[in-house]
């Protein structure tokens, strides 16, 4: 019996090849899109879950309260972790990490390892990062010891065993011993580095005494709690701990700290404090909803097309019932056909997914899966999903088809039911409502990305080349030499550039009441040329100038946000006010117009600038667009002349600044592609329905043509019913689309307003797509010979 069902199912699929193609294609594309979204969401949710003790690992974070503001940071003081371990028995172990950039040399091989990290010796005890060579208990114990990842080790040692061998690190060529080789960090780890340097290298060599600095916030701290420990109970002990250890220091600095614990497994998606790599739970929710939408559209197509064909199969059902077939048997037959169709779609999906997975990984910006068979349970889930779609989507058509009355059917008095027509129209409205919602979302995402990339940032970032000397003693000589290159417009030096990191400095600035108000402020160290080179506007006072000899020690620039923080109603009122910052005292000489030195996702914060010529590692070079390659080659030549021991590298500031929006750009591209797929599947269904609707109205069209109806009139007649449904879909989708995109935009400090034209454009696009889809069948029917359709009447 089952074999007979399968045979009949395959025969029906082949007999109605057009219908089968539309249904299988729609299902395959829908299932493939859902599969890709599923593995993407699963990957995002898997971050940091692979550690054995992941449920007991927490990141320690800090709220720093000053008289001016509260700063929420993922960093901690260097002194917190060792003292917490000593004072609070609930803590089994701690790990502090801190990112850095190191010059590493071995013979003639040299690389600037930008993705380096200091870590405590307990790193391999707390986390499940595997060493393939070396002892995890001692690899990071001694000063000047290094653990390389496998791929990094190959750069310096090839296939040789690096354990015990020495490399030179930093510009001072400090010998460091390789004590371990670890597997490359997995893609779903928020903690990543190419090499790890022992924390004792920092605390005993590079920055002695840093362990006792309670006000120096440069560490990322993880605590491994003992089994059964309540993180809330431990948090409750933190205020007393801080008071006992640093109460006098907080009182003296007028700063207080609140320590909190974030579960390791939730920091990637849920924390608002940032980290090495951050995700977005909102995007996970959005893509999950899109997956459900796409699958729903594919299922709607199946139900619509199958019920639309019910008239054609009515006689088959009537004959089967007359010869003894029961309703349950007929329902099983039609559900079986649905399952067979879905299995074919599943097999096609495997091929499509295998073919497109590399492109999807590239689009997602990460390797979410190395292959569709790399995780067999993905394929099993895909197969089960396909079967469930076949069962659920085929259930209603099966019940409809199996319930036909044989007497009515065989007498020729059967026609499609009114309820069936209402259902199909309702499903078309639902389908296009989803598609139009996705069109609205795509337009809003594109506009927001365009707004962020084209907004006036308040500084000039075009044709700006950035060189990082990493503090090399020859940096000033190099800058002067580069200035003499014909294609160089200007040069400047600084500790920071817009879009990059910067210092946070404990500061005291005179407020409008005349008191020195304490605040933790962002700080740029710059030279005399920086403000002019970046075309940062001054709204009060003056910029730094070589005409004022005291500027190197006693002058400060602040921005408008800082003016507001200290209570001044006008930037002019801040000129001449006193400041104290990191051992320097002087007066504010100028106020800069606010510029976006961080992402547009953040509000512009108070910023200070000072001249500190010995701390300027970055050289920014404004270049002419003419003969650019020649200019860059000459810059490289000067680098090799003055800093031969460091590998040459550069980047353009505009590209560097735009990297901040990579996650949003990837989100936009993924959203756009899935929206296009959803619209395409909807159009496939609409094409199928238009085809069957036209087929059922063949006789009517023939009569209308005989009576003189024009081709445009018939096309309008056949299209109007569907266009009414699209208009209803627009009315439903517009408020839904506005709500979801309004919620999404809340994550941006600077964002667009959703204009009325977005909804008009989405509606027009939907109508145009629908018209293009329907028109082919409508025009074909309108041009047909009425004699052929009426000769049997």
């Amino acid at each position: 019996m089952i074999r007979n069902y399968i045979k009949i199912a395959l025969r029906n699929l082949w007999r109605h090849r057009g219908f089968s193609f539309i249904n299988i294609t729609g299902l395959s594309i829908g299932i493939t899109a859902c599969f890709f979204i599923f593995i993407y969401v699963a990957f995002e949710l898997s971050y940091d879950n692979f550690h054995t003790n992941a449920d007991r690992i927490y990141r320690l974070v800090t709220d720093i309260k000053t008289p001016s503001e509260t700063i929420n940071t993922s960093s901690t003081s260097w002194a917190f972790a060792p003292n917490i371990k000593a004072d609070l028995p609930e803590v089994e172990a701690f790990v502090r990490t801190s990112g850095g950039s190191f010059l590493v040399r071995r013979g003639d091989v040299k690389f600037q390892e930008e993705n380096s990290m200091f870590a405590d010796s307990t790193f391999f005890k707390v986390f499940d990062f595997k060493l393939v060579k070396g002892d995890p208990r001692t690899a990071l114990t001694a000063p000047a010891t290094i653990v390389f990842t496998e791929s990094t080790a190959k750069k310096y040692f090839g296939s040789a065993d690096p354990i015990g061998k020495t490399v030179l690190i930093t510009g001072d060529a400090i010998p460091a011993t390789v004590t371990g080789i670890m597997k490359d960090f997995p893609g779903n780890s928020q903690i990543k580095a190419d090499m790890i340097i022992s924390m004792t290298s920092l605390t005993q060599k590079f920055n002695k005494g840093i362990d006792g600095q309670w006000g120096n916030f440069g560490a990322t701290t993880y605590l491994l709690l003992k089994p059964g420990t309540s993180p809330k109970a431990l948090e409750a002990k933190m205020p007393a701990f801080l008071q006992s250890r640093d109460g006098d220091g907080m009182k003296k600095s007028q700063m207080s700290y609140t320590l909190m614990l974030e579960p390791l497994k939730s920091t990637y998606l849920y924390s608002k404090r940032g980290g090495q790599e951050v995700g977005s739970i909102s995007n996970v929710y959005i893509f999950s909803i899109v997956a459900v939408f796409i699958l729903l559209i594919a299922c709607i197509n199946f139900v619509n097309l199958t019920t639309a064909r019910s008239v054609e199969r009515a006689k088959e059902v009537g004959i089967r019932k007359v010869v003894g077939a029961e309703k349950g048997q007929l329902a099983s037959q039609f559900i079986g056909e649905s399952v067979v169709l879905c299995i074919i779609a599943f097999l096609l999906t495997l091929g499509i997914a295998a073919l497109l997975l590399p492109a999807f990984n590239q689009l997602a910006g990460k390797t979410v899966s190395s292959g569709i068979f790399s995780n067999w349970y993905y394929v099993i889930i895909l197969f089960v999903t396909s079967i469930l779609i076949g069962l659920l989507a085929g259930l209603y058509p099966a019940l409809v088809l199996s319930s036909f009355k044989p007497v009515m059917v065989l007498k020729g008095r059967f026609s499609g039911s009114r309820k069936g027509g209402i259902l199909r129209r309702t499903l078309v409205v639902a389908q296009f409502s989803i598609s139009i919602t996705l069109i609205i979302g795509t337009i809003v995402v594109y506009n927001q990305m365009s707004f962020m990339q084209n907004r006036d940032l308040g500084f000039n970032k075009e044709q700006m080349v950035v060189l990082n000397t990493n503090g090399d003693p020859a940096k000033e000589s190099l800058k002067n030499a580069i200035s003499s290159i014909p294609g160089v417009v200007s040069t400047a030096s600084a500790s920071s550039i817009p879009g990059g990191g910067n210092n946070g400095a404990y500061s005291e600035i005179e407020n409008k009441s005349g008191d020195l108000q304490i605040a933790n402020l962002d700080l740029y160290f710059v030279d005399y040329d920086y403000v002019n080179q970046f075309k940062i506007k001054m709204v009060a006072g003056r910029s730094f100038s070589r005409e004022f000899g005291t500027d190197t020690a006693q002058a400060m620039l602040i921005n408008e946000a800082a003016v507001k923080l200290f209570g001044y109603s006008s930037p002019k009122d801040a000129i001449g006010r006193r400041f104290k910052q990191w051992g320097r005292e002087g007066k504010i000489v100028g106020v800069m117009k606010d510029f976006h030195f961080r992402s547009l996702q953040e509000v512009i914060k108070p910023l200070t600038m000072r001249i500190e010529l010995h701390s300027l590692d970055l050289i920014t070079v404004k270049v002419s667009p003419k003969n650019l390659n020649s200019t860059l080659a000459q810059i490289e030549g000067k680098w090799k002349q003055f800093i031969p021991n460091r590998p040459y590298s550069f980047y353009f500031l505009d590209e560097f600044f735009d990297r901040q929006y990579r996650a949003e750009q990837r989100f936009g591209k993924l959203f756009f592609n899935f929206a296009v797929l959803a619209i395409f599947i909807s159009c496939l269904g609409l094409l199928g329905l238009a085809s069957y609707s036209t087929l059922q109205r063949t006789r009517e069209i023939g009569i209308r043509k005989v009576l003189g109806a024009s081709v445009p009139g018939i096309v309008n007649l056949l299209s109007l019913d569907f266009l009414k449904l699209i208009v209803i879909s627009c009315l439903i989708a517009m408020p839904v689309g506005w709500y979801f995109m309004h919620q999404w935009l809340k994550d941006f400090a600077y964002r667009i307003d959703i204009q009325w034209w977005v909804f008009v454009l989405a509606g027009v696009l939907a109508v145009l797509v629908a018209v293009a889809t329907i028109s082919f069948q409508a025009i074909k029917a309108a041009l047909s010979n009425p004699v052929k359709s009426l000769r049997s009447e």
Side-chain angles (χ1 to χ4, degrees), residues 531-778:
V531 173
N532 290 332
Q533 186 188 50
F534 280 82
K535 291 184 168 47
I536 299 170
K537 296 178 181 178
M538 304 298 298
V539 293
R542 62 174 177 85
S543 181
F544 296 122
S545 173
R546 292 180 175 85
E547 296 178 3
F548 297 88
T550 56
D551 277 5
T552 56
Q554 299 176 10
M556 173 184 280
L557 303 182
I558 63 175
N559 65 352
E560 291 173 301
V563 170
K564 294 175 185 176
L565 178 66
F566 295 103
Y568 298 110
S569 56
S570 169
K572 293 180 180 179
D573 296 337
I575 303 301
R577 300 289 182 162
R578 295 172 295 149
F579 78 85
K580 292 182 180 180
Q581 188 183 67
W582 279 5
R584 297 280 187 177
E585 295 186 29
K587 293 184 178 181
I588 296 169
V589 299
V591 176
M592 302 172 288
K593 184 177 179 61
D594 280 343
F595 66 94
H596 293 277
F597 61 95
R598 293 186 182 177
S599 164
L600 268 75
Q601 289 175 298
E602 300 181 50
V603 175
I604 296 176
K605 295 182 178 180
L607 174 68
T608 60
M609 280 189 187
R610 279 181 24 217
I611 290 182
E612 198 81 29
L613 298 177
H614 68 277
S615 299
L616 311 181
D617 293 345
L618 301 178
I619 299 175
T620 54
V621 184
K622 179 78 172 179
V623 294
S624 169
K626 295 180 180 180
N627 302 317
L628 180 59
N629 290 335
S630 173
T631 301
L632 293 176
Q634 292 180 68
I635 293 173
E636 181 178 4
K638 297 296 183 182
W639 178 283
K640 290 179 178 179
Q641 177 184 346
F642 287 92
I643 312 182
N645 290 328
R646 291 186 180 274
Y648 171 72
S649 65
F650 72 94
Y651 53 87
F652 285 97
L653 178 61
D654 54 353
E655 295 177 357
F656 176 81
F657 191 86
D658 289 343
R659 286 178 197 168
Q660 300 174 101
Y661 310 124
R662 278 183 178 175
E664 286 74 26
Q665 289 168 350
R666 287 195 295 265
F667 170 80
K669 289 178 181 178
L670 286 170
F671 193 93
F672 172 78
N673 281 277
F674 288 128
V676 169
L677 288 177
I679 295 163
F680 177 73
I681 297 169
S682 298
C683 290
L684 279 179
L686 194 60
L687 177 65
L689 278 179
S691 176
Y692 279 101
S693 175
T694 303
L695 185 65
Q696 289 176 0
R697 301 179 72 173
T698 301
R699 185 190 308 170
E700 177 191 344
I701 293 168
I703 294 171
R704 287 181 179 274
K705 290 197 73 175
V706 169
L707 295 176
S710 65
V711 170
I714 292 174
V715 172
N716 290 337
L717 174 71
L718 295 174
S719 304
L720 192 59
D721 287 343
F722 288 107
L723 291 179
K724 288 178 181 176
L725 301 180
I726 305 304
V727 171
I728 295 172
S729 300
C730 289
L731 297 176
I732 295 172
M734 287 176 182
V736 175
W738 178 88
Y739 173 78
F740 281 113
M741 298 320 297
H742 180 71
Q743 296 299 117
W744 180 74
L745 287 170
K746 285 183 177 179
D747 289 337
F748 299 89
Y750 300 91
R751 52 185 178 266
I752 61 168
D753 294 322
I754 305 177
Q755 303 290 338
W756 60 269
W757 62 262
V758 171
F759 305 104
V760 173
L761 178 60
V764 170
L765 288 174
V767 170
L768 290 176
V769 169
V771 168
T773 304
I774 298 166
S775 293
F776 174 76
Q777 287 295 334

Side-chain angles (χ1 to χ4, degrees), residues 514-535:
D515 301 320
L516 287 176
Q517 182 176 325
I518 293 171
N520 192 74
L521 303 177
D522 287 310
L523 169 63
Y524 276 23
F525 290 134
V526 301
D527 66 3
Y528 291 104
D529 305 310
Y530 188 86
V531 173
N532 290 332
Q533 186 188 50
F534 280 82
K535 291 184 168 47

Side-chain angles (χ1 to χ4, degrees), residues 147-279:
V147 171
F148 281 127
T149 61
E150 288 181 304
S151 58
T152 306
K154 286 179 182 178
K155 294 193 301 186
Y156 299 99
F157 300 96
S159 58
D161 184 358
I163 299 299
K165 292 185 170 63
T166 300
V167 294
L168 303 178
I169 61 174
T170 76
D172 296 330
I174 298 172
T177 304
V178 180
T179 53
I181 303 298
M182 65 177 289
K183 288 185 175 296
D184 289 356
F185 284 81
N188 59 343
S189 173
Q190 192 178 190
I191 303 167
K192 290 187 177 79
D194 295 320
M195 75 176 196
I196 305 175
I197 306 172
S198 61
M199 186 61 73
T200 50
S201 305
L202 178 66
T203 59
Q204 297 180 27
K205 279 183 172 290
F206 300 131
N207 199 338
K208 292 182 180 180
I210 196 172
D211 277 342
Q213 295 178 7
W214 288 85
N216 187 341
F217 285 75
T220 300
T221 301
Y222 299 92
L223 303 180
L224 175 63
L225 307 188
K226 292 181 178 178
T229 298
S230 166
K232 292 295 182 184
L234 181 59
E235 277 184 355
K237 292 185 176 183
M238 294 296 183
F241 157 76
L242 288 170
Q243 191 61 38
S244 65
R245 285 285 188 172
D246 192 40
D248 293 339
M250 289 190 291
K251 185 177 181 180
K252 182 179 179 181
S253 65
Q254 297 184 47
M255 297 174 66
S256 61
Y257 316 128
T258 301
L259 298 180
M260 289 162 287
L261 298 173
E262 290 183 339
L264 174 67
K265 293 196 294 186
S266 68
T267 56
Y268 173 72
L269 286 176
Y270 293 94
S271 179
K272 299 297 183 182
R273 298 169 185 265
Q276 275 191 295
E277 186 179 1
V278 293

Side-chain angles (χ1 to χ4, degrees), residues 60-62 74-78 80 96 216-221 259:
L60 187 68
V61 297
T62 317
S74 61
S75 299
T76 64
S77 161
W78 291 98
F80 284 172
R96 293 168 300 174
N216 187 341
F217 285 75
T220 300
T221 301
L259 298 180

Side-chain angles (χ1 to χ4, degrees), residues 293-492:
F293 280 174
I294 291 176
L295 204 57
L296 185 59
I297 289 172
C299 291
I300 287 173
N301 271 1
F302 185 88
V303 172
N304 263 348
L305 294 177
T306 306
T307 53
R309 287 188 59 234
S310 59
V311 177
E312 293 184 26
R313 303 199 65 177
K315 287 186 178 180
E316 175 192 343
V317 173
I319 293 171
R320 286 178 177 275
K321 282 197 170 185
V322 167
V323 297
E326 296 180 357
K327 185 176 180 179
Q329 291 175 315
L330 290 169
S332 299
Q333 165 71 39
F334 295 126
I335 289 175
E337 289 183 15
S338 173
V339 171
V340 168
L341 190 145
C342 287
I343 290 174
I344 295 172
F346 161 74
L347 296 174
L348 187 58
T349 294
L350 289 182
I352 296 172
L355 186 65
L356 296 181
L357 185 59
F360 179 75
N361 284 333
Q362 187 175 5
L363 189 64
K366 58 185 75 177
T367 304
V368 296
S369 178
S370 56
I372 61 171
F373 298 106
S374 59
N375 292 307
W376 278 98
Y377 64 89
Y378 285 172
V379 179
I380 293 171
I381 291 173
L382 187 62
F383 178 74
V384 171
T385 301
S386 301
I387 298 297
L388 287 175
I389 291 172
L391 292 173
L392 296 175
L395 184 61
Y396 175 78
L399 293 176
V400 170
L401 292 169
S402 62
S403 63
F404 292 163
K405 295 180 181 180
V407 175
M408 300 294 291
V409 169
L410 297 178
K411 282 184 177 181
R413 297 178 182 173
F414 174 81
S415 62
S417 69
R418 178 181 174 83
K419 291 182 179 178
I422 293 173
L423 174 67
R424 284 193 294 277
R425 287 193 289 272
T426 302
L427 292 179
V428 168
V429 169
Q431 195 175 48
F432 268 86
S433 295
I434 294 170
S435 297
I436 295 166
T437 300
L438 293 177
I439 292 174
I440 292 170
T442 301
I443 296 172
V444 171
V445 170
Y446 173 81
N447 284 341
Q448 178 63 20
M449 293 300 101
S450 178
F451 169 78
M452 293 169 70
Q453 291 177 318
N454 298 313
R455 178 181 168 88
D456 181 10
L457 300 173
F459 68 93
N460 179 24
K461 61 182 174 68
E462 304 304 322
Q463 300 298 130
M464 198 81 73
V465 175
V466 182
L467 308 173
N468 189 349
T469 65
N470 288 282
D472 194 282
K475 58 188 179 183
E476 187 63 26
S477 299
L478 173 64
K479 177 194 169 187
N480 293 332
I482 290 174
S483 299
S484 65
I485 296 174
V488 171
V489 178
S490 66
T491 59

